[in-house]
Amino acid sequence: MSLSIRNQLPGTVTAITPGEAMATVRVRLTGGQDLTAAITREAAEDLRLAPGTAVRALLKSTEVSLATAPIEGLSIRNQLPGTVTDLAAGEAMVSVRLTIEGGELTSAITRDAAEDLALSPGIPVVALIKATEVSLATA
Protein backbone atom coordinates (compact mmCIF):
# COMPACT_ATOMS: atom_id res chain seq x y z
CA MET A 1 0.00 0.00 0.00
CA SER A 2 1.31 3.46 -0.90
CA LEU A 3 0.50 6.40 1.35
CA SER A 4 0.76 10.16 0.95
CA ILE A 5 1.90 10.49 4.58
CA ARG A 6 5.62 11.33 4.44
CA ASN A 7 6.36 10.75 8.10
CA GLN A 8 6.52 7.01 8.74
CA LEU A 9 8.61 6.09 11.76
CA PRO A 10 9.30 2.43 12.58
CA GLY A 11 9.06 1.23 16.14
CA THR A 12 7.85 -1.41 18.56
CA VAL A 13 4.82 -1.32 20.85
CA THR A 14 5.93 -1.25 24.49
CA ALA A 15 2.58 -0.76 26.27
CA ILE A 16 -1.14 -0.47 25.64
CA THR A 17 -3.66 1.15 27.97
CA PRO A 18 -7.17 0.26 26.81
CA GLY A 19 -10.11 2.48 27.65
CA GLU A 20 -13.81 2.23 26.94
CA ALA A 21 -13.53 3.74 23.45
CA MET A 22 -9.90 4.74 23.03
CA ALA A 23 -6.54 3.17 23.81
CA THR A 24 -3.17 4.77 24.31
CA VAL A 25 -0.27 2.91 22.74
CA ARG A 26 3.37 3.54 23.67
CA VAL A 27 5.82 2.95 20.85
CA ARG A 28 9.60 2.85 21.17
CA LEU A 29 10.96 4.30 17.92
CA THR A 30 14.08 2.78 16.37
CA GLY A 31 15.99 5.90 17.46
CA GLY A 32 15.13 5.17 21.11
CA GLN A 33 12.47 7.85 21.65
CA ASP A 34 9.05 7.01 23.03
CA LEU A 35 5.93 8.06 21.14
CA THR A 36 2.33 7.88 22.35
CA ALA A 37 -0.57 7.22 19.99
CA ALA A 38 -4.22 7.55 21.01
CA ILE A 39 -6.30 5.31 18.74
CA THR A 40 -9.68 3.64 19.03
CA ARG A 41 -9.78 0.49 21.11
CA GLU A 42 -11.32 -1.27 18.11
CA ALA A 43 -8.34 -0.29 15.92
CA ALA A 44 -5.90 -1.58 18.54
CA GLU A 45 -7.78 -4.88 18.60
CA ASP A 46 -8.05 -5.08 14.78
CA LEU A 47 -4.29 -4.52 14.47
CA ARG A 48 -3.71 -7.13 17.23
CA LEU A 49 -1.38 -4.76 19.02
CA ALA A 50 0.58 -6.13 21.95
CA PRO A 51 3.94 -5.35 23.50
CA GLY A 52 6.58 -6.37 20.99
CA THR A 53 4.43 -5.72 17.89
CA ALA A 54 6.37 -3.96 15.11
CA VAL A 55 4.53 -0.86 13.88
CA ARG A 56 4.97 2.29 11.84
CA ALA A 57 3.87 5.58 13.38
CA LEU A 58 2.25 7.71 10.69
CA LEU A 59 2.26 11.49 11.13
CA LYS A 60 0.90 14.02 8.65
CA SER A 61 3.37 16.87 8.17
CA THR A 62 0.62 19.40 8.91
CA GLU A 63 0.23 17.83 12.37
CA VAL A 64 3.90 18.26 13.33
CA SER A 65 4.42 21.58 15.14
CA LEU A 66 7.86 22.95 15.95
CA ALA A 67 9.41 24.68 18.95
CA THR A 68 12.96 25.90 19.47
CA ALA A 69 13.18 24.27 22.93
CA PRO A 70 11.38 21.60 24.98
CA ILE A 71 8.16 22.87 26.52
CA GLU A 72 6.95 21.99 30.03
CA GLY A 73 3.37 22.20 31.23
CA LEU A 74 1.93 21.12 27.89
CA SER A 75 -0.66 18.44 27.16
CA ILE A 76 1.09 17.39 23.93
CA ARG A 77 2.62 14.00 24.81
CA ASN A 78 5.16 13.71 22.02
CA GLN A 79 8.19 16.00 21.96
CA LEU A 80 10.95 14.71 19.68
CA PRO A 81 14.22 16.70 19.58
CA GLY A 82 15.82 17.17 16.19
CA THR A 83 17.76 19.45 13.89
CA VAL A 84 16.51 21.35 10.84
CA THR A 85 18.13 20.00 7.68
CA ASP A 86 16.21 21.80 4.92
CA LEU A 87 13.44 24.31 4.29
CA ALA A 88 11.28 24.68 1.19
CA ALA A 89 9.40 27.98 1.38
CA GLY A 90 6.29 28.87 -0.57
CA GLU A 91 4.20 32.03 -0.45
CA ALA A 92 2.24 30.97 2.66
CA MET A 93 3.72 27.70 3.93
CA VAL A 94 7.16 26.22 4.61
CA SER A 95 8.04 22.55 4.49
CA VAL A 96 10.68 21.93 7.17
CA ARG A 97 12.75 18.75 7.09
CA LEU A 98 14.46 17.69 10.28
CA THR A 99 16.48 14.77 11.49
CA ILE A 100 15.58 13.06 14.71
CA GLU A 101 17.41 10.18 16.37
CA GLY A 102 16.95 7.27 13.97
CA GLY A 103 14.97 9.07 11.27
CA GLU A 104 13.58 12.11 9.54
CA LEU A 105 10.41 14.17 9.91
CA THR A 106 8.73 16.78 7.76
CA SER A 107 6.68 19.60 9.26
CA ALA A 108 4.44 21.95 7.27
CA ILE A 109 4.13 25.31 9.06
CA THR A 110 3.23 28.83 8.04
CA ARG A 111 5.91 31.03 6.56
CA ASP A 112 5.30 33.53 9.36
CA ALA A 113 5.95 30.84 12.00
CA ALA A 114 9.17 29.74 10.30
CA GLU A 115 10.36 33.35 10.19
CA ASP A 116 9.35 33.99 13.83
CA LEU A 117 11.34 30.90 14.89
CA ALA A 118 14.28 31.99 12.68
CA LEU A 119 14.52 28.47 11.25
CA SER A 120 17.48 27.54 9.08
CA PRO A 121 19.54 24.38 8.53
CA GLY A 122 21.41 23.36 11.67
CA ILE A 123 18.95 24.93 14.13
CA PRO A 124 17.86 22.55 16.93
CA VAL A 125 14.10 22.14 17.24
CA VAL A 126 11.55 20.00 19.03
CA ALA A 127 8.78 18.35 17.02
CA LEU A 128 5.46 18.46 18.89
CA ILE A 129 2.81 15.89 17.98
CA LYS A 130 -0.49 15.30 19.79
CA ALA A 131 -1.10 11.62 20.59
CA THR A 132 -4.46 11.82 18.81
CA GLU A 133 -2.68 12.75 15.57
CA VAL A 134 -0.49 9.62 15.52
CA SER A 135 -1.83 6.72 13.44
CA LEU A 136 -0.35 3.24 13.58
CA ALA A 137 0.15 0.59 10.92
CA THR A 138 1.49 -2.87 11.51
CA ALA A 139 4.80 -3.45 9.79
Side-chain angles (χ1 to χ4, degrees):
M1 171 190 333
S2 296
L3 295 173
S4 64
I5 297 175
R6 293 183 247 179
N7 298 316
Q8 300 184 29
L9 303 174
T12 304
V13 173
T14 58
I16 301 170
T17 305
E20 188 172 320
M22 301 289 289
T24 57
V25 182
R26 293 281 284 177
V27 175
R28 173 68 46 95
L29 300 177
T30 57
Q33 314 90 321
D34 288 320
L35 190 72
T36 300
I39 62 174
T40 65
R41 190 179 78 186
E42 182 180 2
E45 291 169 357
D46 288 348
L47 292 171
R48 297 186 179 146
L49 298 179
T53 302
V55 294
R56 286 197 172 277
L58 308 173
L59 317 160
K60 289 178 64 175
S61 61
T62 52
E63 301 301 335
V64 178
S65 298
L66 298 176
T68 54
I71 301 173
E72 292 187 29
L74 187 67
S75 67
I76 295 175
R77 304 307 321 144
N78 302 304
Q79 296 193 34
L80 303 175
T83 303
V84 174
T85 57
D86 189 41
L87 294 103
E91 291 294 318
M93 300 292 290
V94 176
S95 179
V96 182
R97 293 184 73 192
L98 54 136
T99 58
I100 61 168
E101 220 29 72
E104 276 189 347
L105 280 177
T106 300
S107 173
I109 62 175
T110 64
R111 187 180 185 119
D112 288 343
E115 290 172 359
D116 288 349
L117 295 173
L119 297 181
S120 64
I123 297 289
V125 293
V126 177
L128 306 167
I129 307 120
K130 290 179 65 172
T132 53
E133 300 304 330
V134 177
S135 296
L136 297 176
T138 50

